[in-house]
Amino acid sequence: MAKVNANYLKLPGSYLFSTVAKKIAAYSQANPDKKVIRLSIGDVTQPLAPVIIDAMHGAVDEMAHAETFRGYAPDLGYEFLRSKIAEWDYQRRGCDITADEIFVSDGAKSDCANIQEIFAVDNKIAVCDPVYPVYVDSNVMAGRTGTYDAATGIWSDVIYMPCTMENQFSPELPKETPDLIYLCFPNNPTGAMISKEDLQRWVDYANKVGAVILYDAAYEAYISEEDKPHSIYECEGARTCAIEFHSFSKNAGFTGVRLGYTVVPKDLKVEGVALHGLWARRHGTKFNGAPYIVQKAGAAVYSEEGQEQLKAQVGYYMNNARVIYEGLKDAGYTVSGGVNAPYIWVKTPNGMSSWEFFDYLLEKASVAGTPGSGFGPSGETYFRMTAFGSYENTVEAIERIKKI
């Protein structure tokens, strides 16, 4: 008789953003005359840049001719894209990363979830708290997190690293030694950023205790302060302890197109085994590659024209972040983030829980955000808002909140 993976049954409720979507849908059905402005899910709204569209059209035309038609992509991705990633994202920043250490995929979310497969089930994970839910949920599915305490929102076998106002939403080195450390900077959901000095401290710590850092740099393009690291490989010794994830979703608007990549340095070994080879085996067995058309579009990002167009697009969203940050601050809210990330982290008022504040904003202003408790125990009494809406909707949303 067939059996299910019982670890899936341990997951509490539905995925965070699915719950948010259902609540918004229920409200809209009950109030068809009210326009809901969503500052919740981190989905872009601006169209793809012209240079990217041109590249996609060119690739589509190639697929119409036998001599330029492409089928399955190479396991790691097309060399024309990987070499550009290596040059523009790493070598120009002084990072020693080569094209054959880059694995092209359909997005950072998939890789962040799937990377745990190459590690033993008895590895102990450490996560920032609050944290992007995929890190924890994928480890729950693998059977690595122990039992769940619904009252506290804590998994027994997960090391939580609180990111609070007191520590400027930056985690401290854990007292218990982890095997796998998930870090995300610029941070989702808090919008916080880490200094190179602090990131170097994490690299030194991981090398000392034999841990692997799983570094999510999906929002790297939004870093505005010059002294902040764009990659963990800017730190000395990161090649022997870190895997890095990148996404084209937020820097180039590929949420509906799907493209990302993961870097696994050949120097990174666990128990004498090179993780590069393990990930290559997993990648080749379970993934047939991102489409040629999409990879050609990705390569267009790495051109002078592409960089200028995407810089303008990032600037558009960061202007929205400024509107949210300054508007809420003027309205008396305690806010952070929005400087190196498109997320604003809001302290809920009057002792409200994060879901109570969600319902309050939806009912009173027809504005939706994301409850902080959905990101972990330390997210309670906080609320995330994104800058990925249109400028007009963003301005209207803040005006509505001010009138409550």
Side-chain angles (χ1 to χ4, degrees):
M1 183 176 70
K3 297 180 180 179
V4 300
N5 179 349
N7 293 311
Y8 277 69
L9 305 180
K10 298 178 183 178
L11 290 164
S14 62
Y15 182 56
L16 170 62
F17 297 106
S18 299
T19 303
V20 169
K22 289 175 183 176
K23 289 177 78 74
I24 295 172
Y27 174 82
S28 296
Q29 186 174 4
N31 302 275
D33 58 322
K34 294 184 178 179
K35 169 191 170 185
V36 176
I37 298 179
R38 304 184 185 214
L39 303 181
S40 48
I41 191 168
D43 193 3
V44 296
T45 55
Q46 296 302 295
L48 294 173
V51 69
I52 293 171
I53 292 296
D54 289 344
M56 293 182 78
H57 281 305
V60 169
D61 289 340
E62 288 183 55
M63 299 296 274
H65 303 281
E67 60 272 20
T68 51
F69 174 80
R70 305 292 182 105
Y72 291 127
D75 281 357
L76 272 66
Y78 285 101
E79 194 278 334
F80 64 75
L81 175 58
R82 291 185 291 108
S83 62
K84 286 183 179 293
I85 291 170
E87 176 191 353
W88 285 74
D89 287 349
Y90 295 103
Q91 292 161 7
R92 290 191 180 198
R93 292 178 175 140
C95 303
D96 182 20
I97 296 296
T98 57
D100 60 354
E101 295 175 314
I102 295 165
F103 296 79
V104 176
S105 71
D106 60 355
K109 179 178 182 178
S110 301
D111 288 352
C112 286
N114 294 329
I115 195 69
Q116 52 80 24
E117 290 188 22
I118 66 173
F119 297 99
V121 176
D122 59 356
N123 277 296
K124 195 136 190 178
I125 69 167
V127 297
C128 296
D129 174 30
V131 70
Y132 183 43
V134 169
Y135 309 153
V136 174
D137 287 0
S138 58
N139 279 281
V140 174
M141 295 171 178
R144 195 176 282 114
T145 56
T147 57
Y148 182 70
D149 185 335
T152 61
I154 290 176
W155 292 92
S156 62
D157 292 347
V158 173
I159 299 171
Y160 291 88
M161 303 182 293
C163 298
T164 64
M165 192 178 300
E166 289 68 31
N167 62 14
Q168 298 180 312
F169 304 105
S170 182
E172 298 172 2
L173 297 177
K175 294 181 175 62
E176 183 181 357
T177 304
D179 302 301
L180 305 175
I181 304 168
Y182 286 83
L183 296 178
C184 173
F185 290 102
N187 186 259
N188 175 18
T190 67
M193 186 52 196
I194 196 170
S195 68
K196 184 176 181 181
E197 180 182 3
D198 284 343
L199 187 55
Q200 182 67 60
R201 187 162 55 96
W202 279 100
V203 169
D204 294 342
Y205 171 78
N207 278 318
K208 179 181 177 180
V209 302
V212 175
I213 296 175
L214 305 174
Y215 193 76
D216 186 351
Y219 298 93
E220 165 273 321
Y222 291 83
I223 297 173
S224 64
E225 296 177 309
E226 293 185 1
D227 60 339
K228 305 300 184 185
H230 287 252
S231 167
I232 196 169
Y233 301 116
E234 293 178 38
C235 296
E236 185 178 351
R239 283 185 56 87
T240 57
C241 71
I243 293 172
E244 186 166 277
F245 309 97
H246 273 256
S247 169
F248 285 75
S249 289
K250 305 310 192 311
N251 68 324
F254 277 37
T255 55
V257 179
R258 308 309 305 148
L259 189 66
Y261 67 85
T262 291
V263 178
V264 186
K266 292 182 178 179
D267 297 348
L268 178 52
K269 296 180 180 180
V270 172
E271 297 181 308
V273 178
L275 297 187
H276 183 279
L278 295 187
W279 186 241
R281 187 67 171 88
R282 192 267 173 204
H283 205 65
T285 300
K286 294 191 173 185
F287 184 64
N288 259 342
Y292 172 72
I293 295 166
V294 177
Q295 294 197 47
K296 286 289 283 187
V301 168
Y302 300 102
S303 64
E304 297 297 341
E305 186 180 11
Q307 291 291 300
E308 284 300 313
Q309 291 177 6
L310 295 182
K311 183 179 179 181
Q313 199 166 82
V314 167
Y316 177 93
Y317 292 128
M318 289 308 290
N319 185 54
N320 287 349
R322 179 190 59 79
V323 169
I324 298 170
Y325 182 97
E326 293 181 356
L328 292 179
K329 190 173 182 179
D330 289 344
Y333 289 90
T334 299
V335 293
S336 59
V339 176
N340 295 295
Y343 294 119
I344 291 80
W345 194 234
V346 187
K347 180 69 174 174
T348 59
N350 305 319
M352 287 186 187
S353 73
S354 55
W355 278 107
E356 286 172 343
F357 190 57
F358 174 90
D359 292 334
Y360 175 77
L361 286 186
L362 193 58
E363 291 291 338
K364 300 294 185 180
S366 297
V367 173
T370 307
S373 62
F375 298 101
S378 293
E380 185 54 278
T381 72
Y382 285 93
F383 200 74
R384 192 193 76 173
M385 290 189 174
T386 80
F388 287 120
S390 69
Y391 173 74
E392 294 75 17
N393 280 347
T394 300
V395 170
E396 182 180 345
I398 298 306
E399 290 303 316
R400 289 185 191 179
I401 292 172
K402 285 182 174 181
K403 292 176 181 178
I404 297 176

